[in-house]
Amino acid sequence: MKALIGMLFGLCLALPGWAGEAQPVGEDPVIEQRMNKLAEELRCLVCQNETLAGSHAELAEDLRREIREQMKLGKNDKEVIQYLTDRYGDFVLYRPPFRSYTLVLWLGPLVFLIIGGVSWYFVMRRRRALRVTEQVSREDLDKAKALLEADSR
Amino acid sequence: MKRWIPLIVFAVIAGFFYVGLSLNPREVPSPFIGKAAPEFTLPVVGQPDKTFSPADAKGKVWLLNIWAPWCVSCRQEHGVLMQLADMGVPIYGINWKDKDRDAEDLLANMGNPYVMTGDDLDGRVGINYGVTGTPETFLIDKQGVIRFKHIGPITPDAWKKKIEPLFKELNT
C-alpha cells in the first residue's frame, strides 16, 4: 500500500515534466531584450500603475507585439516611443515627461521642502528669542534659592 | 494672522483633494483631437465582400463607436445608440477583437444602430486610434477630422451635455 501511494506521489511530481517550455513569443532575442527594456519605461494603460513590461493585460500584450513589429521594421527606441505617444499621448510614458503641465508634479515636492525648511528656520529663530537672556542678579538668585528650599520642607 | 495658517493650509490641501479625487484616471486625453481620423480598411461585419474606411463617411458628421460583443458596458450603451440612430445620427462601428465571432448574431438579435461595422479582429485599428478599452466613441466632422472622444458608454446625459452640442455645431 505504501509503495502504491509512493508511486502515485512520484507520478504527480513528474506531471510538470509534460509542460512544454514557455513559448518565446519573439523569435529574435535581441529585439526581445530591446522591447522589454523599452517596455519598462512605458505604462500599461489598462492597469495604469504597472509597466508595459510587467502587465498581463491583453492590451499590454498587443502593445508589446506592436513594439516588436516596429523594431523589426528597423525603428529605433525614440521612434517607437513616438509611435506610441502619437496614439496614446504622454500618459503611455511611465516616467512623466517634464512639461508645462507636469511642473507641479515635478517641482511640487521641492517647493514644499523649501517651504518646510524656511518655516523651520523661522520657528527655531523665535524659540531662541524666547529664551531668557537677561542677567539675573546675585541677590535675586539667592532669594529664589531660599524660596525654593523653603517650599521643599 | 498666524492662527489662520493651519486653516489656510487645510483649505489648500482640501482643494487639491477635491479636484484630484473627482478626476477619472481612465479618461486619458486623446492626442487625436483636431487630427485626421487614421486610415483603415476593414471587412464589414455581415457583408464580407464589402469594406469600410473612414472615407466612406466623408461629408457627414458621424460617430465612430468602438465596441465588442464581449463588452458589458457596450450592451448598456446599445439602447442609447439605437435611439441616436433613429434620430438620424450616422453611427459607424468597429468590432474590436471579437475572437468568438459573436458580432453578427448580436446585431441581428439586439438591433443594429450602425450604418456599417468594421471587423477589427486583431485590434490593430484600435491601437491606431489609441483605444484602451471598450466602448470608446469618436465624433468626426465632415472633413474626417476627429473633434471629440468619449470614453465609456454614451449615456443620455453625456450625449445631451457633451456630444450633441458639438454635433449640432459641426452640422451647421
Side-chain angles (χ1 to χ4, degrees), chain A residues 45-46 48 58-59 62-63 65-66 69 83 85-89 91 126, chain B residues 25-26 28-29 31-32 96-97 99 122 124 126-132:
Chain A
L45 293 146
V46 178
Q48 294 175 329
E58 211 182 318
L59 183 67
D62 289 347
L63 287 177
R65 177 195 68 201
E66 286 295 306
E69 290 183 5
Y83 179 86
T85 51
D86 278 348
R87 286 153 178 77
Y88 290 95
F91 197 57
R126 196 173 343 126
Chain B
R26 295 276 148 216
V28 181
F32 286 106
W96 196 60
K97 296 168 67 93
K99 300 213 172 84
D122 57 16
R124 277 173 213 269
I127 288 184
N128 270 338
Y129 272 78
V131 168
T132 56

Side-chain angles (χ1 to χ4, degrees), chain A residues 6-64:
Chain A
M7 270 200 297
L8 279 174
F9 185 64
L11 268 176
C12 288
L13 282 180
L15 273 174
W18 261 288
E21 191 157 290
Q23 293 295 347
V25 187
E27 308 89 23
D28 184 345
V30 174
I31 287 199
E32 202 61 19
Q33 204 183 29
R34 256 184 81 199
M35 187 276 288
N36 274 315
K37 196 145 170 282
L38 194 61
E40 300 210 342
E41 285 292 317
L42 295 167
R43 185 190 306 267
C44 170
L45 293 146
V46 178
C47 324
Q48 294 175 329
N49 285 320
E50 288 190 30
T51 62
L52 200 58
S55 172
H56 295 295
E58 211 182 318
L59 183 67
E61 289 184 17
D62 289 347
L63 287 177
R64 287 196 291 266

Side-chain angles (χ1 to χ4, degrees), chain B residues 29-111:
Chain B
S30 173
F32 286 106
I33 311 289
K35 298 222 180 94
E39 251 306 306
F40 61 80
T41 307
L42 290 175
V44 174
V45 170
Q47 299 166 63
D49 305 326
K50 275 189 82 177
T51 58
F52 165 41
S53 303
D56 294 336
K58 228 186 194 126
K60 291 191 246 187
V61 181
W62 54 293
L63 294 177
L64 180 62
N65 175 251
I66 316 223
W67 65 284
W70 42 260
C71 157
V72 179
S73 314
C74 305
R75 305 277 176 105
Q76 294 172 3
E77 183 184 52
H78 189 266
V80 176
L81 292 182
M82 291 297 287
Q83 284 181 1
L84 293 179
D86 281 341
M87 281 167 36
V89 177
I91 311 179
Y92 292 73
I94 287 188
N95 180 27
W96 196 60
K97 296 168 67 93
D98 176 20
K99 300 213 172 84
D100 292 333
R101 319 309 292 133
D102 288 328
E104 208 179 333
D105 288 338
L106 191 147
L107 291 176
N109 289 335
M110 287 183 69

